Amino acid sequence: MLPEGPVARNQLSVFYVTLWVSIFIFLTVGGVLAYAQIRFRVKKGQEDDDVPPPQTHGHPMVEIGLIGVSILLLVIIAVPTIRGIWFQYDTPEPEDALVVTVTGYQWWFKFEYPELGIVTANELVIPTDRPIHLDLRTLDVIHSFWVPKLAGKVDLIPNRANHMWLQADQEGYYWGQCAEFCGESHANMKFRLVSLNEGDFEAWVERQTGEARNVSDDATAMTWSDLDPKIESASLEESDFSKPEVSSFEGWKRQQFPMGEETPELIEQGRKTFVDQKCVMCHTIRGHGAAGIIGPDLTHFGSRTTVAAGMLDNTTDHLADWLSQPEEVKPGNIMYRDGYVINKTELSEDDVQALVAYLHSLK
Ligand code: CUA
């Protein structure tokens, strides 16, 4: 697991300094101890009730020497550690940094880009080679933000404004995980981080700032290739949601665009189901009249590669599983507890199919 950004690299270098110093101390102390035990053990023929060896009461030069070596070893650890703390605390070039507010919920992450007016869930998309300043908040319990390849964990603490920064060297698709026990689905609170080159990031911003795609009004808007011709390829044409992708990152790129066959009538039916089943009470879909703020913003849900806080790939089957039995997928989740149970929601197979088609059309 190699670091892929300056913060993770700095943390790894501090770890190695500490590790090498610890190994040195272990070998030195252990070596002296082993030597003394072997050299001065009771030998054959010797009585073990012999008179004790001559006793000494300290050796000033040895003691001063040991104190000096201990201080030196601590300084060797302290200097890079303190420099690392400063380096990791202050976002470099704050004017150039992209600010993202991360909010933890039981059990998912909300990512807001205040300067860009974008809100996403469980997928943090960033440009490469640019510092990302993260403001870490939580609306319920303590969570912890962790993308192992890019930066160590920082907690999201109620009533406390924590922050951190990170940066990605190159394009990629990274795993993230809540790293602080936060309730029964803590282990299921995952997310992804996607880093894009500048051009792709700008194209992503352009798509995300728009309202949700509307298939019934504009059935011709089946491909967005005119928006970003780079991503058009033969494989894009034939890909569908249930097909295994070549790589997570390629899969993410494909997911940004409408794929395969779409049935406008089914999508329209799903849009009605979304209202009838009161999904609109908790979710926002900009441009479709849904403005709930309890659950994740779904305006561009179809462009995300995962569902249920990063637990499942966002395929037709998985989304259907999540909608028909949320409690099985992510135990304790609020959609089930405060939605399905209270509203006595019962989705027929048709409802689920229509909802899946509708949600996947939201690019
Ligand atoms: Cu959120 Cu653990």
Side-chain angles (χ1 to χ4, degrees), residues 107 142-143 178-182 186 189:
W107 290 275
I142 300 179
H143 302 276
C178 174
E180 175 72 38
F181 181 71
C182 55
H186 152 69
M189 187 171 168

Side-chain angles (χ1 to χ4, degrees), residues 98-115 118-126 132-147 151-166 176-179 189-193:
L98 175 69
V99 177
V100 180
T101 305
V102 178
T103 309
Y105 292 79
Q106 281 174 319
W107 290 275
W108 57 283
F109 286 96
K110 178 162 83 179
F111 301 115
E112 285 168 288
Y113 301 65
E115 298 152 16
I118 294 173
V119 183
T120 69
N122 306 316
E123 265 185 25
L124 173 58
V125 179
I126 62 168
I132 312 299
H133 178 98
L134 300 173
D135 286 316
L136 305 170
R137 306 287 185 266
T138 170
L139 280 203
D140 39 52
V141 300
I142 300 179
H143 302 276
S144 189
F145 179 92
W146 189 29
V147 186
K153 329 164 176 174
V154 178
D155 283 0
L156 288 60
I157 299 174
N159 300 318
R160 191 188 149 97
N162 269 358
H163 75 264
M164 67 184 286
W165 72 277
L166 52 76
Q177 167 75 45
C178 174
M189 187 171 168
K190 305 174 197 304
F191 62 100
R192 301 292 189 279
L193 185 148

Side-chain angles (χ1 to χ4, degrees), residues 129 151 219 242 252 306 338:
D129 276 330
S242 50
W252 184 88
T306 63
D338 294 354

